[in-house]
Amino acid sequence: MRRWILGIAFMLVGWLTSMQAQQGAEGPDFPPYPDERIAVSNRLKVLPLKVDNSQFEYFPPIISQLGWSCNQASSIGYLLTYELNRKRELDGELPENQYSPSYPWNFLSAESKTTGVSYFDTWEIIKANGCPNIIDFPYTGVNSVWMNGFDKYLRAMKNKVVNNYSISVSDAAGLRVLKTYLFNHNDSFRFGGLANVQIASSGWAIRLLPSDSYDSGTAVITSFGRNVGHALTIVGFNDQVQYDFNGDGLYTNDLDLNDDGEVTMADWEKGALLAVNTYGKDWGSRGKAYIPYRLLTRYGYEGGIWNRSVHVVDVLHNYEPALVLKLEIAHSNRGMLRVTLGCSNDPEAEYPEYIHAFPMLNYHGGLSSLGAQGDDSHMHLGLDITPVLAHLESGKPVKFFLMIDERDPLDLANGSVYSYSIINYLENDTLVAEKSGVFPIKANQTTILEIGHELNFDPVQVADYQIQYTSENQWLSVPLYASGISGSANWEIYPDYREDTTGREFPELSGDYLPFYTSSDGFLTIDLPFDFPFYGEMFDKLYADESGYLYLQTQYQDYPYSIDKELVFRQRKSIVPFGQDLMFYQEGNGIYYESTDSVAKIFWDCSAQIGSSQGPFRFACYLYPDGLIEFHYGGDLNGSERSDYRSGLSRGNGKQVFVTTSSNLGKVHSDKLVRLIPYQIPPKTKIESNRYLLTRPEEKNQFYEIKVKVTDINFQESFGLIPISTLDFSSPDMLATAFPNPFTESTSLSFVVKEKSLVRIQIFDLFGRHLRDLLVEEFEKGIHQIDWDGRSDHGSECLPGVYLVRIFIGEEKQSVKILKNAC
């Protein structure tokens, strides 16, 4: 795909950069293929010697890619087309059953035919809004045009991908998983699947299989280049092809050819994957070539494949959107726009509780007008907003916020919204709410258009669980229930955080100054004084940068052709108190760090852009041994304007992020403290057979909240909490006591601090619902006391009944049962 001149120009840069990569990866990747599916693949005793899925009727004709759209031709033109046709039993030769590579490429290529767009970004668009066939949006050489027409978008939404996975193929075990997938999708299907792979086409070596090999005379790629960017599609394998790599006249899989002291797949001369390229039928052998298994053991920068992994997708057989945004809009520069939709269950809300983003409408698209065929006419869009249902209450008034952000500091462009409406397809295509007219898009700020209406739907809802009591070191099985499920339910444990925001004076700047000039890779390494728990993993180091990010692991490369910065954020384990391009030009500006056994404190002293104002700004991140995270904000900038910055957490799995309320709204305020409190999950907790929560708490007198997520076939999802308690009411070894207990109006909680420690006290009811964060404060050694007035965080009086007090003192933790009587 890349021209040889550009390949030479970038090869040295790519090599130098890639040499910095970690041993375990080259950069972000999709989540790993699920273990339970790998277990299925291992049950199959015998695989055929060869598979070629391109021979089936579901596969489309060989593609001649347009410009640098190889990633889209491979992922959409081949893989999506085949997988949807396989599930629907449709003929891939027919145009109505072929899907358009132009659709995602045109959104992100900025109108340049020589701009590559990664299939990492491509799949985010397809997951969010589906993909049209080539009748609704032809695959042409004009890449400045976006699809126009609500009905076309509505039809495209039905062609969705639900998950992406990577399969590590660096050894024989991983290769077997892939081969089983190619044979029968690892699930005993009659037809197997396809996979994509990222390689370097510039500098690859293509030969022909020798006369004494199976399929002799067929093209075989004996090595790839080293600057990854091209995509191929894996359609099968053949264990019988062979190539003499060491020139000894033999074909072996049992000799140590690379002299590393062991025989591995890297030494094999027999067996290869079968790949289809997007250079037309004149390339290779009628568009195909073999990739020897040995190349799978090398990273891309070593002449192998990106991350030594291939990529597969789950497609939906039948998908119908439940809730859709219909939008009519025009703008003279679509690259200046970002479109999001917010919602709130409070019809009087001024800002949304939840904001849904669209990966193709995030300052992408170049200089063309947002209109049909690149002219000034109106663009008619349809956007799938089904995921917002998980954040709304059925049968009650809701409020929607259409939010258009314009990034245009020189006021060069203009545009308007002409109408937008919400359509409920769960209720006979009901028009929930509509707004029409001429609404100018505000220059270089956020335009918010509000509509409210009652929304009726049958929600997916996790059952309301009461506390499940058990003893320490005893297995507990909890059946998983949810209502409103369409089709099958998919359950998963969902480690998450709860946010608590209060006013708090910014702490005094302290600690050691960390100079960036000592770092050769752009990161400052921070050694933590304790193992810090983050989304179920433990870390003893952080890597800070000048943009307000704290990474839990270093990443020196993005995926090839990375464009969507939101996806990059989701693929990196990170803690972000204030993510922005910060300025460090004043004396003393920089990052400061200090720590004790009970807290690690990182300070940023800098300048920042907040709305139209620029000036001094300070913020800090505190980390505690139990996983508690605090963001502190100071400085002289108060956010009356909406600001473009990020604050939150990323689990690094490509999917789960936690965005703080303030950054979701684009608001910044001084002297504010944001606490992110992790839900506690026992270490040995898992979902069994997609039907039960199985857990084994290891400590007594503990209280856990296990957050679970369920998703049905229509992408509707719901979250729930399963509270688990190992409280031993007869135990005399208590950290805290309550008096009076029972109480009527208030009770005093006494607790013992053995050495200076952070103390956190929370109140829950017997259903496990969080009622109040009573205390988060550092105390000296001694006996201390705090009163609870029987009220929740919202100030409402709690009803008579049994409550649990959960207390953390340093690394110790415990639950106390108290009883509130009626007056």
Side-chain angles (χ1 to χ4, degrees):
M1 183 196 67
R2 295 204 167 186
R3 302 295 184 264
W4 68 273
I5 296 177
L6 189 63
I8 293 174
F10 284 122
M11 189 173 294
L12 180 60
V13 175
W15 178 78
L16 289 173
T17 303
S18 62
M19 287 302 102
Q20 301 179 74
Q22 291 183 346
Q23 287 296 316
E26 289 183 277
D29 212 337
F30 292 119
Y33 196 61
D35 289 342
E36 60 270 21
R37 299 195 197 179
I38 294 176
V40 170
S41 75
N42 290 332
R43 290 202 296 267
L44 186 66
K45 300 301 182 184
V46 179
L47 286 171
L49 293 175
K50 63 176 183 175
V51 165
D52 182 0
N53 292 323
S54 69
Q55 300 299 313
F56 297 132
E57 63 176 332
Y58 312 127
F59 195 79
I62 297 296
I63 292 173
S64 294
Q65 71 181 61
L66 302 171
W68 285 19
S69 63
C70 64
N71 273 249
Q72 290 64 53
S74 291
S75 60
I76 305 303
Y78 286 145
L79 193 148
L80 180 67
T81 292
Y82 173 88
E83 295 290 2
L84 284 173
N85 290 340
R86 179 192 61 81
K87 279 215 167 186
R88 298 170 180 175
E89 298 186 348
L90 298 175
D91 187 351
E93 291 283 339
L94 301 177
E96 60 265 34
N97 302 326
Q98 298 169 17
Y99 297 94
S100 177
S102 289
Y103 178 71
W105 188 47
N106 289 16
F107 275 125
L108 302 179
S109 65
E111 307 177 45
S112 171
K113 295 180 182 179
T114 56
T115 294
V117 174
S118 172
Y119 61 60
F120 284 79
D121 291 330
T122 295
W123 288 125
E124 295 306 300
I125 293 175
I126 309 307
K127 286 190 288 186
N129 224 50
C131 188
N133 60 28
I134 62 172
I135 295 177
D136 275 343
F137 198 61
Y139 186 28
T140 70
V142 180
N143 66 330
S144 62
V145 175
W146 290 2
M147 188 169 73
N148 192 17
F150 175 75
D151 290 342
K152 294 179 181 179
Y153 281 95
L154 192 60
R155 287 192 290 270
M157 291 176 201
K158 302 176 188 293
N159 308 312
K160 271 208 173 184
V161 163
V162 62
N163 281 313
N164 310 86
Y165 297 113
S166 62
I167 299 177
S168 174
V169 290
S170 61
D171 57 24
L175 175 63
R176 178 179 176 83
V177 174
L178 172 60
K179 289 168 64 177
T180 310
Y181 184 87
L182 294 167
F183 173 53
N184 68 357
H185 265 89
N186 285 334
D187 203 11
S188 301
F189 286 112
R190 180 182 173 191
F191 300 98
L194 306 186
N196 285 138
V197 64
Q198 291 276 345
I199 56 90
S201 59
S202 177
W204 60 10
I206 302 178
R207 306 287 185 264
L208 299 179
L209 290 173
S211 59
D212 53 351
S213 168
Y214 188 92
D215 239 357
S216 62
T218 301
V220 57
I221 304 173
T222 56
S223 67
F224 293 112
R226 297 173 182 271
N227 191 22
V228 173
H230 188 56
L232 296 174
T233 305
I234 308 300
V235 297
F237 62 87
N238 192 326
D239 289 341
Q240 302 171 93
V241 302
Q242 47 196 19
Y243 191 87
D244 183 10
F245 281 91
N246 68 339
D248 64 357
L250 303 173
Y251 304 108
T252 61
N253 278 10
D254 57 358
L255 297 181
D256 180 14
L257 301 187
N258 59 11
D259 296 324
D260 64 354
E262 56 181 344
V263 177
T264 66
M265 198 165 74
D267 300 299
W268 290 4
E269 295 181 310
K270 298 179 183 179
L273 299 177
L274 180 61
V276 178
N277 199 6
T278 54
Y279 290 174
K281 290 185 178 180
D282 293 336
W283 179 87
S285 297
R286 297 187 62 78
K288 303 176 186 177
Y290 283 110
I291 302 174
Y293 295 150
R294 63 189 285 124
L295 295 190
L296 308 182
T297 67
R298 304 177 189 172
Y299 286 106
Y301 63 84
E302 299 172 319
I305 66 175
W306 176 259
N307 273 343
R308 303 192 300 182
S309 65
V310 304
H311 304 114
V312 300
V313 300
D314 287 340
V315 300
L316 291 178
H317 180 274
N318 292 308
Y319 172 73
E320 297 291 339
L323 204 64
V324 172
L325 167 64
K326 184 177 182 180
L327 176 62
E328 181 184 354
I329 185 174
H331 196 272
S332 58
N333 188 324
R334 64 193 185 197
M336 293 180 174
L337 294 184
R338 176 174 60 192
V339 179
T340 56
L341 182 81
C343 61
S344 174
N345 290 293
D346 179 3
E348 304 300 323
E350 296 183 5
Y351 296 102
E353 299 170 356
Y354 169 76
I355 294 178
H356 184 72
F358 306 103
M360 60 285 204
L361 299 172
N362 187 16
Y363 304 119
H364 299 310
L367 302 176
S368 284
S369 302
L370 184 58
Q373 307 304 314
D375 60 26
D376 292 329
S377 60
H378 299 182
M379 175 68 77
H380 299 263
L381 297 165
L383 301 169
D384 188 359
I385 55 171
T386 299
V388 306
L389 290 174
H391 305 273
L392 298 176
E393 298 179 28
S394 178
K396 295 183 179 180
V398 298
K399 194 171 189 178
F400 294 100
F401 302 79
L402 178 65
M403 308 173 75
I404 313 289
D405 292 293
E406 186 188 77
R407 185 185 287 167
D408 182 16
L410 299 179
D411 196 16
L412 300 175
N414 61 83
S416 296
V417 174
Y418 294 91
S419 70
Y420 87 99
S421 54
I422 309 295
I423 304 174
N424 183 358
Y425 286 92
L426 290 178
E427 196 178 35
N428 300 318
D429 305 357
T430 301
L431 184 66
V432 175
E434 183 176 25
K435 200 178 194 76
S436 59
V438 180
F439 307 99
I441 295 173
K442 298 177 182 179
N444 202 40
Q445 53 185 302
T446 303
T447 303
I448 300 179
L449 301 178
E450 305 173 0
I451 52 175
H453 206 277
E454 183 175 301
L455 183 64
N456 294 297
F457 61 99
D458 184 14
V460 173
Q461 192 166 359
V462 175
D464 193 6
Y465 286 89
Q466 297 188 28
I467 290 181
Q468 312 288 308
Y469 288 96
T470 187
S471 300
E472 71 274 16
N473 293 315
Q474 296 294 314
W475 284 105
L476 175 68
S477 178
V478 183
L480 296 169
Y481 297 110
S483 59
I485 294 290
S486 296
S488 59
N490 181 63
W491 291 88
E492 58 184 296
I493 296 169
Y494 199 82
D496 206 0
Y497 290 76
R498 182 173 54 251
E499 179 180 355
D500 176 50
T501 302
T502 59
R504 180 69 60 89
E505 184 177 346
F506 189 74
E508 181 180 352
L509 182 68
S510 58
D512 296 325
Y513 175 73
L514 303 180
F516 266 97
Y517 61 78
T518 63
S519 171
S520 61
D521 53 25
F523 298 100
L524 289 174
T525 301
I526 297 175
D527 292 313
L528 297 175
F530 44 76
D531 287 336
F532 176 70
F534 186 72
Y535 284 110
E537 298 181 68
M538 305 300 289
F539 298 90
D540 61 2
K541 286 182 173 58
L542 296 174
Y543 303 91
D545 70 8
E546 292 181 292
S547 298
Y549 284 70
L550 294 169
Y551 296 107
L552 279 301
Q553 57 191 37
T554 54
Q555 292 281 13
Y556 300 106
Q557 282 185 274
D558 294 333
Y559 51 86
Y561 295 140
S562 64
I563 294 175
D564 187 347
K565 300 308 177 186
E566 181 62 29
L567 178 58
V568 172
F569 171 56
R570 294 203 307 270
Q571 291 182 313
R572 291 181 172 178
K573 292 181 175 65
S574 51
I575 300 169
V576 191
F578 190 85
Q580 195 186 80
D581 289 332
L582 304 172
M583 294 156 278
F584 296 85
Y585 51 73
Q586 299 291 337
E587 184 178 355
N589 279 177
I591 295 179
Y592 295 79
Y593 175 63
E594 70 171 349
S595 66
T596 66
D597 290 341
S598 60
V599 63
K601 303 177 181 180
I602 305 99
F603 295 88
W604 282 260
D605 184 9
C606 58
S607 292
Q609 182 78 35
I610 299 179
S612 60
S613 302
Q614 185 184 109
F617 189 60
R618 286 181 174 180
F619 61 93
C621 178
Y622 287 15
L623 305 180
Y624 297 91
D626 66 354
L628 174 68
I629 301 170
E630 291 183 344
F631 296 157
H632 299 257
Y633 299 95
D636 300 324
L637 297 178
N638 274 295
S640 57
E641 300 178 67
R642 181 174 166 83
S643 300
D644 193 7
Y645 76 98
R646 173 177 285 119
S647 172
L649 313 173
S650 173
R651 188 177 177 182
N653 63 354
K655 297 188 294 184
Q656 189 178 351
V657 298
F658 184 100
V659 181
T660 64
T661 303
S662 56
S663 71
N664 224 351
L665 302 177
K667 298 296 179 182
V668 182
H669 299 284
S670 298
D671 297 328
K672 181 178 68 176
L673 167 64
V674 177
R675 288 195 180 98
L676 303 181
I677 306 165
Y679 291 103
Q680 298 295 314
I681 299 176
K684 296 178 180 179
T685 302
K686 60 182 179 178
I687 301 292
E688 185 77 12
S689 303
N690 205 31
R691 296 176 58 193
Y692 300 94
L693 176 78
L694 197 61
T695 185
R696 187 185 180 187
E698 297 177 343
E699 301 177 59
K700 66 179 180 180
N701 294 327
Q702 299 305 317
F703 179 70
Y704 304 93
E705 299 167 280
I706 303 175
K707 191 171 185 178
V708 294
K709 174 185 174 183
V710 63
T711 308
D712 74 0
I713 196 171
N714 290 325
F715 281 135
Q716 292 195 68
E717 57 189 31
S718 178
F719 301 89
L721 290 175
I722 301 178
I724 308 290
S725 175
T726 59
L727 185 61
D728 181 359
F729 297 113
S730 63
S731 173
D733 184 22
M734 304 292 280
L735 292 173
T737 58
F739 183 84
N741 186 16
F743 73 99
T744 53
E745 295 183 356
S746 67
T747 183
S748 294
L749 296 165
S750 299
F751 52 94
V752 178
V753 178
K754 299 174 183 176
E755 58 182 0
K756 185 178 181 179
S757 302
L758 179 76
V759 177
R760 176 152 52 98
I761 300 177
Q762 301 170 305
I763 310 293
F764 296 83
D765 67 13
L766 270 187
F767 290 96
R769 290 177 294 225
H770 173 263
L771 299 176
R772 187 165 180 179
D773 285 311
L774 192 61
L775 176 70
V776 181
E777 193 173 325
E778 198 168 53
F779 284 85
E780 300 288 343
K781 177 180 178 180
I783 300 175
H784 304 273
Q785 181 177 299
I786 187 172
D787 295 335
W788 180 43
D789 60 3
R791 294 182 179 273
S792 70
D793 272 334
H794 302 294
S796 57
E797 186 173 347
C798 297
L799 297 174
V802 177
Y803 295 89
L804 290 181
V805 179
R806 185 177 173 199
I807 183 167
F808 298 81
I809 303 177
E811 296 184 359
E812 297 183 278
K813 50 190 175 181
Q814 193 177 75
S815 297
V816 177
K817 180 180 177 183
I818 57 177
L819 176 63
K820 184 178 187 293
N821 284 335
C823 295

